[in-house]
């Protein structure tokens, strides 16, 4: 690239250079012409800005170069920054010079245009689709959600401990796992959750969390399932269910607060109704924190019975069953904030959940349901801390005792009450961005039918 | 647990409560007795503290309970905090009361004692070994290294973009990969690096990084190899080799700075010579930043020739070959700071590296060698940005062109110069903590012979 004496800046920071001549390095995102004027829009990954190119004001070669340039050609642009209240970013660029780095061929133009494309086409070109403003905005919000999630735990004394991805057995039993050979005839499975492992690190370090990819080889093809997804999971020694719900509430509030602080512009590009997010962290009339509603399973069931009687849901909820998606949507629609449904029947929950001493048929667990029908975004529980009960549960669930011996050890050597939860990042991104499908929440989604690119 | 009116505190924060009666929740780490005095040491995951229990000063049942208690039993302890300059943490606890949460059985005592254990035994009990002070300290430092690594990029405008773990092809060709079935007869492979994918996100978002687990199914059994390890990889559009070296230098300096700020006590437990770390970020006589040495491959070769002639290394280095471990150790021993060796012969480097325009037999790449013989901790390069050259390289390396079509697209639609590097977290932890073997750098190491617990 040729030398330049003007400062090289990003579009996101261009407001600091009003009235100055700067150089941007990016791509031609769009261009329209109006007689002797060109209006190219440039993008550089941090945002987009419109340029103005009057034929009379620039060398002829600059005008002709831009006029013939295909979209997504890479270029450096030099121009003067001008405030313009009509521009989405508040600024426009009076273009003085353009240097093309790599021109896209007119015979093979950029395949993603402003017209509508089918989902398969877009996913097949995901490496290029990512460049469009909506997809870039979603990825920026995703990154901030992940950062805010870590930050919440890091600033509260939690130690990040990474559980293994390659495991010798399934966390929650024999559901569908990705299996592979692991050297001399051993088998390994991709983890579904780091929970069991971070129970061990919690008993070593007190407060811990894990943050990594998890996998399910389920043959489900829904708008909420990926085969590969990221989970953040805290686990805390000496924490019981009520404290766990406090933790989940603080955690979600922190993430939503950060996204609203940092991504108003991105949420606008995505088309998100931010009022729905503001409601999550809305304070009471005197500025006090308003807790998320907490609803026992039994009370949620009564709520659904009433809703069915009033014709507000189509099918009755059977006591003892898990909630279906329409049930969750109805329950969450009754509140502006996420709802914490606790104490589900133990029979429909995982083997490691502590029974409620007040009613041992119930588990000391909580599911956090996102508003607007986005369903469960957090699932957590207090863990069984009795060696004998845990051993019994493992046997009852026909799990291989030998594989869980180390996990049982945690109840043999200084067992303590402890609790944790997991939040799937993609579902959180879908909810916070208001997306219909999780495939847009991650750079390269892995689904039943897709492993390319 | 019974209610308590004293504040519940952590050992790490106990200095704030000097002279007050507090309650700790933790485990019995050690205990010795001297007639009518007991000296139990408690741990709670944030640190350890010694208690004093004079028989005459506590209820008899408290004395007898503690006296008979097995190590790693869980308990809550109430006592008064007293400053004591002889104590490692600066404080001791005058114990007033003890409540046992779960007593370890005398028939099955905690298996890890203060005597020496074999490595296999320790790794088999890794879920318990983690509780010992040295292992806990290493995990705390690891967590801070990971946090500092993210922080460096987050505060410099990088967007975290997560590449897929399940990939349809190998990044660097046909080396050993973990392979599995991916539904309808497709095969999937565990990623070795997110690089190719984040080249796509860099061209969308400008500055990006990935941070996740990577895998190698290599049959190597050395103190530097794991089959599962974490990598952080930045990738930057419009960045060339010199800028990449600046980035790597700033990145390493930031991590070492943070570890020294936050973990002096942990480094002491680990037995690390912190002077070696202080040298990494040592400033010049006038307080100025002292850059890391940059050494061309050719100059490193000359250095090794001279060393061989002087009998300082055992074997001659053959020009054109990669550096062996003794070569790297010798080179790094010549400097106090990490050495950045650049412009290796292209023939021994990856297919995607940009040739040096000044000498196309060299690649625009850099390996950062840690001091003290810890070897390569960062490898990076400028990437080939020409479509034709990259296609040629893929063919020359017998890689399947169809699988790389999306990667080639990045050179067809607005190609730009771009560069990135990768740092393996476990090697960085081994170096910063001064460990002999990477198996202690991660909670549950995965090696050729180990996938349990």
């Amino acid at each position: 690239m040729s030398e330049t004496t003007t400062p090289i800046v990003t579009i996101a920071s261009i407001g600091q250079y009003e009235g100055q001549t700067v150089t941007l390095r990016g791509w031609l995102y769009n261009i329209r012409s109006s007689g002797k004027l060109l209006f190219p829009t440039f993008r550089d990954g941090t945002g987009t800005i419109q340029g103005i190119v009057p034929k009379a004001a620039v060398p002829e070669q600059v005008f002709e170069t831009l006029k013939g340039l295909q979209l997504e050609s890479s270029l450096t642009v030099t121009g003067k920054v001008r405030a313009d209240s009509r521009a989405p970013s508040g600024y426009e660029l009076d273009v003085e010079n353009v240097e093309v780095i790599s021109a896209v061929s007119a015979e093979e133009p950029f395949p993603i245009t402003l017209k509508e494309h089918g989902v398969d086409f877009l996913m097949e070109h995901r490496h290029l689709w990512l460049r469009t403003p909506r997809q870039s905005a979603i990825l920026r919000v995703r990154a901030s959600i992940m950062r805010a999630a870590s930050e919440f735990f890091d600033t509260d004394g939690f130690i990040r401990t990474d559980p293994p991805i390659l495991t010798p057995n399934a966390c929650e039993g024999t559901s569908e796992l990705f299996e592979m050979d692991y050297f001399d005839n051993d088998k390994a499975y991709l983890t579904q959750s780091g929970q069991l492992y971070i129970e061990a690190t919690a008993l070593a370090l007190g407060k811990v969390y894990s943050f990594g990819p998890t996998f399910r080889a389920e043959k489900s093809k829904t708008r909420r399932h990926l085969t590969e997804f990221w989970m953040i999971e805290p686990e805390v020694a000496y924490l019981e269910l009520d404290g766990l719900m406090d933790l989940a509430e603080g955690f979600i509030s922190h993430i939503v607060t950060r996204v609203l602080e940092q991504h108003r512009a991105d949420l606008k590009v995505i088309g998100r109704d931010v009022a729905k997010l503001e409601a999550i962290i809305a304070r009471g009339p005197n500025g006090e924190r308003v807790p998320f509603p907490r609803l026992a399973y039994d009370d949620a069931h009564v709520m659904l019975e009433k809703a069915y009687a009033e014709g507000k849901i189509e099918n009755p909820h059977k006591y003892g069953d898990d909630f279906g998606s329409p049930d969750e949507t109805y329950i969450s629609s009754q509140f502006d904030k996420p709802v914490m449904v606790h104490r589900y029947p133990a029979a429909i929950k995982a083997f490691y959940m502590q029974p409620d001493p007040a009613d041992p048929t119930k588990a000391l667990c909580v599911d956090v349901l996102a508003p607007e029908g986005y369903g469960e975004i957090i699932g957590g529980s207090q863990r069984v801390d009795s060696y004998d009960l845990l051993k019994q549960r493992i046997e009852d669930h026909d799990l291989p005792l030998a594989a869980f011996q180390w996990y049982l050890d945690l109840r043999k050597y200084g067992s303590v009450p402890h609790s944790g939860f997991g939040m799937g990042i993609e579902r959180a991104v879908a909810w916070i961005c208001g997306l219909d499908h999780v495939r847009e929440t991650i750079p390269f989604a892995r689904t039943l039918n897709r492993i390319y690119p």
Side-chain angles (χ1 to χ4, degrees), chain A residues 9 19 35 115 169 192 218 292 395 411:
Chain A
V9 307
K115 71 169 184 154
N169 55 266
Q192 289 186 299
E218 260 181 297
F292 292 178
E395 286 166 355
R411 279 73 183 173

Side-chain angles (χ1 to χ4, degrees), chain A residues 205-428:
Chain A
L205 297 164
K207 301 202 283 187
V208 301
Y209 72 100
S210 67
F211 199 179
T214 53
F215 304 85
R216 297 227 174 145
E218 260 181 297
K219 288 211 163 183
S220 2
K221 203 180 154 182
T222 81
R223 62 191 181 81
R224 288 175 60 191
H225 283 89
L226 296 171
T227 56
E228 176 184 321
F229 53 101
W230 284 69
M231 281 258 273
I232 185 159
E233 301 177 81
E235 189 76 29
V236 185
Y238 286 100
L239 187 72
E240 302 183 12
L241 181 62
D242 282 346
L244 186 71
M245 290 197 272
D246 294 342
L247 190 71
E249 181 176 312
F251 175 67
I252 291 176
S253 302
H254 178 76
I255 292 171
V256 172
T257 301
R258 281 281 184 271
V259 170
L260 285 171
E261 280 168 6
Q262 299 165 352
H263 291 285
R264 297 253 169 195
D266 284 323
L267 293 171
K268 196 169 174 187
V269 169
I270 298 165
R272 180 57 163 140
D273 176 2
V274 292
K276 301 280 191 197
L277 298 177
E278 284 161 346
I280 309 301
I281 53 170
R283 301 244 159 188
N286 301 312
E288 75 279 13
R289 241 184 80 252
V290 178
F292 292 178
R294 298 183 185 194
L295 195 64
Y297 172 91
D298 284 3
D299 296 330
H301 171 73
V302 169
M303 181 186 278
L304 291 171
E305 273 193 321
K306 188 157 168 285
Y308 179 67
E310 292 171 356
K312 288 176 182 163
I313 54 174
E314 217 166 305
N315 297 302
H317 175 252
K318 193 173 148 226
Y319 185 82
D321 281 2
D322 205 350
F323 301 120
S325 182
D327 300 329
E328 289 185 351
T329 300
Y330 180 79
I331 295 167
S332 69
S333 73
Q334 302 306 296
F335 306 93
D336 288 340
K337 296 185 185 254
V339 193
M340 304 207 269
V341 183
H342 55 85
R343 294 182 171 78
Y344 284 67
I348 57 169
K349 286 290 180 180
F351 74 95
Y352 49 70
M353 293 187 180
Q354 176 85 349
D356 185 356
D359 172 5
T361 68
K362 296 286 174 15
L364 290 176
C365 66
V366 59
D367 280 4
V368 183
L369 308 181
E372 304 168 72
Y374 277 95
E376 181 201 327
I377 44 165
I378 278 184
S381 74
Q382 194 170 324
R383 320 306 189 182
V384 169
D385 55 37
S386 147
Y387 182 93
D388 292 337
L389 176 59
L390 184 62
K391 183 158 176 277
Q392 185 61 52
R393 289 277 183 88
I394 290 170
E395 286 166 355
D396 291 348
H397 282 73
D398 285 327
L399 297 171
L401 209 52
F404 287 94
Q405 194 52 58
W406 70 268
Y407 186 59
L408 279 162
D409 276 357
L410 306 179
R411 279 73 183 173
K412 193 186 274 181
Y413 302 110
S415 188
V416 301
H418 61 290
S419 302
F421 65 71
M423 184 183 81
I425 293 298
E426 287 71 24
R427 286 193 185 178

Side-chain angles (χ1 to χ4, degrees), chain A residues 66-198:
Chain A
L66 262 179
K67 198 176 167 185
L69 206 56
Q70 289 291 315
L71 301 191
E72 284 301 319
S73 294
S74 49
L75 39 72
T76 62
V77 192
T78 301
K80 190 177 277 185
V81 182
R82 182 168 38 75
D84 186 315
S85 57
R86 293 161 307 174
S89 69
Y91 297 93
E92 287 193 338
L93 197 69
D94 290 321
V95 174
E96 294 170 6
N97 200 5
V98 162
E99 186 188 354
V100 175
I101 305 298
S102 174
V104 172
S105 152
E107 280 84 58
E108 284 189 276
F110 192 66
I112 297 174
T113 60
L114 295 177
K115 71 169 184 154
E116 198 109 339
H117 294 285
V119 166
D120 275 347
F121 180 85
L122 291 170
M123 290 303 286
E124 190 75 12
H125 293 86
R126 182 65 174 163
H127 55 296
L128 305 175
W129 187 26
L130 293 172
R131 301 186 187 184
T132 60
R134 177 184 162 86
Q135 298 304 316
S136 290
I138 293 169
L139 291 191
R140 280 192 290 265
V141 174
R142 173 190 170 90
S144 288
I145 288 172
M146 294 180 86
R147 185 168 65 244
S150 291
E151 178 187 62
F152 177 80
F153 295 122
D154 288 340
T155 53
D156 192 23
F158 283 70
I159 308 296
R160 175 177 175 162
T161 58
D162 303 294
I165 308 298
L166 298 171
T167 65
N169 55 266
C171 169
E172 303 194 15
T174 48
S175 53
E176 285 138 326
L177 294 176
F178 288 107
E179 179 190 288
M180 77 208 74
D181 291 328
Y182 192 80
F183 306 114
D184 305 326
N185 303 322
D186 262 2
K187 291 285 180 196
Y189 303 89
L190 295 185
T191 184
Q192 289 186 299
S193 157
Q195 179 202 317
L196 305 200
Y197 288 97
I198 64 171

